Amino acid sequence: AQSVTQPDIHITVSEGASLELRCNYSYGATPYLFWYVQSPGQGLQLLLKYFSGDTLVQGIKGFEAEFKRSQSSFNLRKPSVHWSDAAEYFCAVGSGANNLFFGTGTRLTVIP
Amino acid sequence: NAGVTQTPKFQVLKTGQSMTLQCAQDMNHEYMSWYRQDPGMGLRLIHYSVGAGITDQGEVPNGYNVSRSTTEDFPLRLLSAAPSQTSVYFCASSTGSLYDTQYFGPGTRLTVL
């Protein structure tokens, strides 16, 4: 069965600093991988997704993620964080069947 | 476009009561789904629909019913609420499947006493 691990519950970064949020998954074949962001009191918004092809994926709001099969990882990165990036970030994995497994989320705090 | 709308935003129920969470979308999306979000856990899929008249179970369907009589609406029914159903519920829609870009509603916070 698929599973997703986000090892960092909470991360604090300074505005302008770089960011990397970790995501590890467990799945035998090539998974469908997603990153979603949830601002306080809001629903989730898709940042980016990976199905196949180029392992470096560009998303909205200046985010990117890299699929590393050997490490079963799909880490999210941003070179320079803005205060508006403070939110909760969820990694998700799907197998092609009708289900999507979400990680427990990483809460990002941005210090001015 | 309003996108995905959910009503109510907040609801408190007593154990055993029934209620319906409403979800509507105006994007003509075929796929709609319901998730629950609990503290310290990721979202879990309750039910989904690939089009009007077609619904199926997700990961945690017990205690919930759905129907899809129109493309726009996808209500979630709790027939006999239990404290374990205290959660935040999100509705989402997409063009074809949950692997397409899903658009989420703002959520309904439900408390069952």
Side-chain angles (χ1 to χ4, degrees):
Chain A
Q2 300 99 315
S3 67
V4 181
T5 302
Q6 293 182 247
D8 303 306
I9 296 173
H10 184 206
I11 284 181
T12 300
V13 299
S14 298
E15 192 169 15
S18 63
L19 172 70
E20 183 169 27
L21 302 182
R22 295 184 290 166
C23 173
N24 294 98
Y25 66 90
S26 172
Y27 181 60
T30 299
Y32 298 110
L33 294 162
F34 304 80
W35 274 101
Y36 280 87
V37 60
Q38 184 179 29
S39 299
Q42 303 293 317
L44 277 68
Q45 180 183 22
L46 180 68
L47 285 175
L48 48 78
K49 59 185 176 184
Y50 172 81
F51 289 176
S52 65
D54 191 347
T55 57
L56 185 62
V57 182
Q58 301 297 321
I60 62 171
K61 304 186 180 189
F63 285 93
E64 66 178 26
E66 186 171 12
F67 170 58
K68 293 186 177 180
R69 184 190 303 275
S70 61
Q71 298 177 19
S72 297
S73 69
F74 189 57
N75 294 350
L76 182 71
R77 301 194 294 247
K78 186 169 185 178
S80 177
V81 170
H82 188 262
W83 64 267
S84 61
D85 293 324
E88 185 125 23
Y89 292 80
F90 292 93
C91 181
V93 61
S95 64
N98 280 306
N99 208 347
L100 197 59
F101 295 92
F102 284 80
T104 52
T106 297
R107 184 160 62 92
L108 175 66
T109 297
V110 180
I111 298 175
Chain B
N1 286 351
V4 179
T5 57
Q6 291 183 238
T7 56
K9 292 183 71 67
F10 302 94
Q11 183 70 50
V12 178
L13 292 178
K14 294 181 180 178
T15 297
Q17 287 184 316
S18 64
M19 80 159 296
T20 299
L21 307 185
Q22 301 291 344
C23 174
Q25 53 90 11
D26 61 359
M27 297 174 282
N28 201 32
H29 285 169
E30 290 296 323
Y31 184 92
M32 297 185 74
S33 56
W34 277 102
Y35 294 88
R36 60 178 289 172
Q37 183 179 35
D38 300 298
M41 302 184 69
L43 274 71
R44 291 182 291 169
L45 183 65
I46 304 172
H47 284 285
Y48 65 93
S49 169
V50 298
I54 306 170
T55 65
D56 207 343
Q57 297 179 352
E59 183 185 357
V60 288
N62 292 343
Y64 308 95
N65 280 355
V66 292
S67 60
R68 184 96 178 268
S69 57
T70 67
T71 298
E72 295 77 21
D73 300 297
F74 190 44
L76 179 72
R77 297 184 188 85
L78 285 71
L79 298 179
S80 178
S84 60
Q85 294 178 303
T86 294
S87 188
V88 180
Y89 292 85
F90 289 99
C91 179
S93 74
S94 67
T95 53
S97 78
L98 51 73
Y99 299 120
D100 297 313
T101 299
Q102 291 193 84
Y103 295 86
F104 283 79
T108 293
R109 184 175 294 274
L110 175 68
T111 301
V112 183
L113 303 175

